[in-house]
Amino acid sequence: MTGENERAVQAAVDAEFRLLDPEVRASPSRVLELLDPEFAEFGASGRRWDVKSILAVTSGGTVSPESPVQVSEMSGVVLAPGVVHLTYFADNQGRRAWRSSLWRLTETGWRMYFHQATPVASEVE
């Protein structure tokens, strides 16, 4: 990966972690700084989200400062200039999912354009 690509991936990773931060999520203006106006998400619940519906749920304190989302296996790749795809595993108080985000560089910085969460199946014994 080139230095420019590494910087782009790191910028998207940093922005993803900001969106997971309970303090950021509690502030609609800070969340709006990180979401693309055309943002869409297919959540682990199967629900489709847009900017308005995400703001309603994030400002409701869905991530507790006492138990933040645990993230592992974060990786990213530049798909095209100004477009980064991130994937990672997240555990939010026992709700475990593989997550995928598309970030694009805009005039105001990196913004999440699309996000998808796929629940992790429980293991069968």
Side-chain angles (χ1 to χ4, degrees):
M1 193 175 338
T2 67
E4 185 176 328
N5 285 352
E6 287 175 3
R7 286 188 295 278
V9 168
Q10 189 59 55
V13 167
D14 292 346
E16 186 85 40
F17 275 109
R18 281 195 304 278
L19 264 179
L20 292 169
D21 182 306
E23 286 185 29
V24 171
R25 292 176 72 84
S27 169
S29 64
R30 291 174 74 186
V31 171
L32 277 175
E33 290 172 3
L34 295 166
L35 295 182
D36 192 274
E38 298 176 28
F39 169 80
E41 174 179 337
F42 299 135
S45 65
R47 182 173 175 187
R48 185 180 191 285
W49 303 85
D50 59 13
V51 172
K52 184 178 178 182
S53 58
I54 283 292
L55 287 175
V57 73
T58 58
S59 61
T62 57
V63 176
S64 165
E66 292 79 34
S67 17
V69 175
Q70 300 299 311
V71 173
S72 60
E73 301 183 53
M74 176 76 75
S75 66
V77 63
V78 174
L79 298 178
V83 179
V84 172
H85 179 222
L86 299 179
T87 58
Y88 61 97
F89 182 79
D91 186 332
N92 183 6
Q93 300 178 12
R95 293 188 331 248
R96 301 167 51 221
W98 285 105
R99 296 189 171 266
S100 174
S101 299
L102 290 176
W103 288 84
R104 66 180 177 182
L105 185 58
T106 69
E107 293 176 359
T108 59
W110 287 94
R111 290 179 166 223
M112 185 185 283
Y113 176 74
F114 179 78
H115 186 80
Q116 181 167 352
T118 303
V120 175
S122 29
E123 294 184 40
V124 179
E125 295 184 34

